[in-house]
Each structure stands twice: as C-alpha cells, then as structure tokens.
C-alpha cells in the first residue's frame, strides 16, 4: 500500500544562481524566477493535501554573499510579500516566518510580522518561510526559551519530551515527513535539524526555478512508494 500524503513538506530551494548563469542571466534573475516558482508550486503542493510547507529562503550564512545579491534578496522579500499579501489571503494560506531577527533590517522584519498578522486566520495550509535561518541556531534558541520558561516556573522540566519540544521551536509545526532539495546538492545544510529527524529525503538535479508541478509529483510518487518505518520495523 502507498504511504499517505505527507503532512509537512520542506524544500531547500537551491540552484537559482546556476539556473540563471546557464541562461546568461544575472544570479538575481534566478532568485526572481525562484520566487515566482515558489508561489506556483507551493499552491500545487497544498492542492495535493499537504498542510504544512517549510521553505529555506535565506540562511544565516547567505549574508556572506555579495552585497548586491543580499540587498536584492532582502528587497525581494519586502516587495514580493507586500505585493502578494492578497495572494496568500485569497488562497487562505497562513504565512509564518522562521529565523533570527538580527541582522535583518526593521523593514524586512516588520514586513514579515505584517504578513503573519494579516494571514493569521487563514486555514487551508501553512507556508513557513525560513529567512535568516539556521537549524543549529533554532536548537539553541529553543533551548534558551525552554530554560527561561522552566526558570520562571512556567514549565515543568518533566514536561519537556521529544514530542513537546516541537511547540517551543520558532513555530509550533509538526515533524517534517518529506524534505526535497533541488539542484543536485546532497546535503541538509543546517536546515530544520530537529524537525527533519525522521523525514524522508529526496534530491533532484532540477534547479528550483524549474521545480514545477510535474517535478513535485515525481517526489511525491517516490515518497509514497517508500517503506517508511521511522525505526519501528
Ligand atoms: C539558493 O540558490 C537560493 C537562495 C539562497 C534564495 C532562495 C530564494 C528564493 C527561491 C526566492 C525567494 C523565495 C521566497 C519564498 C521568499 P543559490 O543562489 O544558492 O543557487 P546556486 O547554488 O546555483 O548558486
């Protein structure tokens, strides 16, 4: 029997730069194409019955890229999310952002908070967009949050378990069932380390701007035919 549709899918949207360079375009054109692709493929993923989609849009390490590229991406986050706020509301998608505040500008951070607020009652599904995100940083920040709650007598230390830990992370989301990485790199690159513990991993050489509905169907088919034991069998 096939596995059911994954509840939580994560995507490392890699290869925008290579996609652009191969076509003689600027790397930043690849990021723009990546954003357009995200909107299209992400909705399709929800249509398939997936409830939660986490995407890696900008890692803490990405700040080491050229100033031009970092500025382009920060500007894209602000302009695209502002322009598309109705897109998310009309499609009934709740948008959450995960990552550290520093060194994001107030403009980027405030845009993220506004979109979260505007979409907070949307019910069809959740897009968790990771910006200025690192998986080890999330584990450290979660440990600090838990330590503070215990110190303030708001949490009993015995109530911290593998299962309850999820709700203290940046966002209270279920474990990831399927993680997809585009562009041929076979690494996790510090993405959602705790939540990926039992995820099935799928790697494709397709660059993210070409990761369309058919490409997702291939990943889903592969996932549904796997023998998923989560250590039990
Ligand atoms: C990796 O490709 C991609 C990024 C660092 C940025 C991802 C951003 C987007 C897809 C656009 C914004 C999307 C959302 C949802 C806000 P790369 O530049 O590392 O490509 P390369 O490995 O070919 O150089």
């Amino acid at each position: 029997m096939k596995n059911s549709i994954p509840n939580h899918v994560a995507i490392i949207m890699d290869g925008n730069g290579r996609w652009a360079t191969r076509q003689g375009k600027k790397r930043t054109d690849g990021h723009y194409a990546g954003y357009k692709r995200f909107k299209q493929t992400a909705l399709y993923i929800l249509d398939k019955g997936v409830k939660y989609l986490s995407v890696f849009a900008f890692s803490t390490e990405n700040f080491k890229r050229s100033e031009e590229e970092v500025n382009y991406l920060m500007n894209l986050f602000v302009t695209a999310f502002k322009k598309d706020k109705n897109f998310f509301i009309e499609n009934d998608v709740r948008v959450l952002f995960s990552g550290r505040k520093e060194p994001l500008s107030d403009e980027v951070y405030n845009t993220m908070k506004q979109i979260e607020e505007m979409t907070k009652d949307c019910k069809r599904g959740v897009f968790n967009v990771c910006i200025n995100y690192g998986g080890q940083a999330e584990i450290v920040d979660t440990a600090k949050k838990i330590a503070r709650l215990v110190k303030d007598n708001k949490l009993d230390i015995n109530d911290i378990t593998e299962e309850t830990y999820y709700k203290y992370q940046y966002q209270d989301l279920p474990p990831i069932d399927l993680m997809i990485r585009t562009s041929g790199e076979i690494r996790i690159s510090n993405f959602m380390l705790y939540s990926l513990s039992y995820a099935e991993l799928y790697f494709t050489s397709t660059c993210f701007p070409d990761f369309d509905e058919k490409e997702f169907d291939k990943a889903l088919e592969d996932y549904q035919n796997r023998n998923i034991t989560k250590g039990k069998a």
Side-chain angles (χ1 to χ4, degrees):
M1 226 184 49
K2 282 190 166 190
N3 298 308
S4 51
I5 297 287
N7 186 39
H8 188 173
V9 170
I11 307 182
I12 301 182
M13 306 180 292
D14 200 4
N16 294 344
R18 272 164 286 167
W19 178 90
T21 310
R22 276 178 207 149
Q23 301 187 38
K25 296 181 176 166
K26 289 194 290 184
R27 288 179 56 81
T28 48
D29 294 334
H31 295 315
Y32 183 69
Y35 181 74
K36 283 205 296 188
R37 178 60 70 194
F38 158 75
K39 281 187 7 187
Q40 184 187 343
T41 303
L43 278 193
Y44 180 72
I45 292 174
L46 292 193
D47 283 344
K48 286 281 174 176
V50 172
K51 281 281 166 221
Y52 301 90
L53 175 67
S54 290
V55 292
F56 208 174
F58 196 90
S59 72
T60 42
E61 290 75 27
N62 287 154
F63 273 109
K64 295 183 190 131
R65 294 191 176 191
S66 75
E67 201 181 329
E68 186 201 352
E69 190 168 340
V70 171
N71 287 344
Y72 179 88
L73 278 165
M74 291 299 142
N75 191 42
L76 178 67
F77 298 149
V78 172
T79 50
F81 281 109
K82 278 195 173 152
K83 184 167 82 59
D84 286 330
K85 57 182 186 298
N86 290 332
F87 168 84
F88 298 111
I89 294 167
E90 278 158 20
N91 285 293
D92 202 17
V93 180
R94 182 168 186 196
V95 183
L96 299 172
F97 292 93
S98 292
R100 282 186 175 164
K101 156 89 180 70
E102 295 304 326
L104 293 177
S105 70
D106 287 346
E107 193 187 23
V108 172
Y109 187 74
N110 293 339
T111 303
M112 287 163 34
K113 291 288 141 202
Q114 277 163 19
I115 302 296
E116 283 187 340
E117 177 61 27
M118 279 172 178
T119 61
K120 70 176 188 312
D121 296 322
C122 294
K123 295 272 184 291
R124 183 164 150 232
V126 172
F127 291 166
N128 172 41
V129 181
C130 297
I131 292 179
N132 191 25
Y133 178 86
Q136 291 184 338
E138 179 167 25
I139 290 173
V140 169
D141 292 347
T142 305
K144 287 182 178 166
K145 194 195 279 182
I146 289 173
R148 256 181 248 115
L149 289 169
V150 171
K151 182 167 154 278
D152 296 344
N153 290 321
K154 288 185 179 145
L155 177 63
D156 184 334
I157 201 160
N158 297 310
D159 290 338
I160 307 161
T161 66
E162 287 89 331
E163 288 77 26
T164 62
Y165 180 90
Y166 284 92
K167 68 171 177 240
Y168 302 104
Q169 297 200 102
Y170 290 146
Q171 305 294 348
D172 180 7
L173 301 174
I176 295 166
D177 304 293
L178 168 64
M179 196 283 289
I180 298 167
R181 183 170 187 152
T182 58
S183 94
E185 308 299 336
I186 315 227
R187 290 188 287 274
I188 293 179
S189 298
N190 202 18
F191 190 44
M192 300 186 78
L193 300 175
Y194 191 86
S195 305
L196 279 172
S197 298
Y198 285 101
E200 294 297 316
L201 308 180
Y202 178 87
F203 298 96
T204 170
S205 58
T206 302
C207 287
F208 188 71
D210 289 330
F211 190 77
D212 60 8
E213 290 89 340
K214 283 204 181 78
E215 293 289 330
F216 180 72
D217 282 344
K218 279 195 236 164
L220 188 60
E221 168 86 13
D222 188 89
Y223 171 87
Q224 290 195 294
N225 287 316
R226 287 193 193 181
N227 177 24
I228 301 177
T229 65
K230 302 203 169 163
K232 283 184 199 135

